[in-house]
Structure formats: structure tokens, C-alpha cells
Amino acid sequence: MSIDSHKPREALDAAISELGSQAAMARLVGVSQPSVWGWVHRLGKLPAEHVLKVEEATGISRHVLRPDIYPQDTKAAPDPTNADRYNGVRA
């Protein structure tokens, strides 16, 4: 299943599917099944306090489950071999 990284609802649905049911999701995070139903049908996303546990259990990235609180860093790390790193620094 391909998950749109900008749609936390799709990620929540995928996590529930991976776990097998809303009841299984509820058991994993220690809430009732109706609470999970509410996330799906009212909230539309996984509550922040459960993201890391669901990521660990399902393999679905926190960046996909909740991109609003775990944004994907799209900036490349600076190249440590870049000769310009010492530009302007002279002894």
C-alpha cells in the first residue's frame, strides 16, 4: 500500500490494517476500540502520544503518521569535504 506522506488519515488506516483491526490498535496503545474509531472518523489522525509506539509496531514512519509534528527534513546535510567551509577563516 502506498501512503501519501501528506495524509495522516491514510497512514492511520494503513497502521490499523497492518495491525489487523481497530481493536488490535487499541490494545497496542492502551485505549478502547471506540477511541480508535474516533481517531479515524472524527480526528482523522493518530494522537501524538501514540505515534512512536505505532511506528515501532508497524514500521510506518512517524514522518508519515504525523508529518505536522515529525516533519521530513528535506535539507541535505552540508558536505564536510567542501573547501568553502573554511572560507574567510584564516590564521
Side-chain angles (χ1 to χ4, degrees):
M1 168 188 272
S2 176
I3 304 168
D4 185 327
S5 63
H6 300 290
K7 296 187 180 176
R9 166 66 194 275
E10 288 182 13
L12 175 57
D13 288 341
I16 292 168
S17 180
E18 183 71 27
L19 293 169
S21 66
Q22 290 182 8
M25 169 75 81
R27 284 189 299 275
L28 174 70
V29 299
V31 301
S32 67
Q33 180 276 325
S35 292
V36 176
W37 184 94
W39 304 341
V40 172
H41 296 284
R42 292 195 181 109
L43 188 60
K45 58 190 172 189
L46 181 65
E49 62 268 25
H50 304 303
V51 172
L52 299 179
K53 185 172 271 193
V54 171
E55 177 186 47
E56 183 179 336
T58 66
I60 298 172
S61 170
R62 67 188 77 179
H63 306 293
V64 176
L65 288 164
R66 286 297 301 270
D68 56 328
I69 57 175
Y70 294 104
Q72 192 82 10
D73 187 13
T74 56
K75 292 185 255 180
D79 182 356
T81 62
N82 186 347
D84 289 335
R85 70 181 173 192
Y86 297 114
N87 191 16
V89 179
R90 302 281 183 236

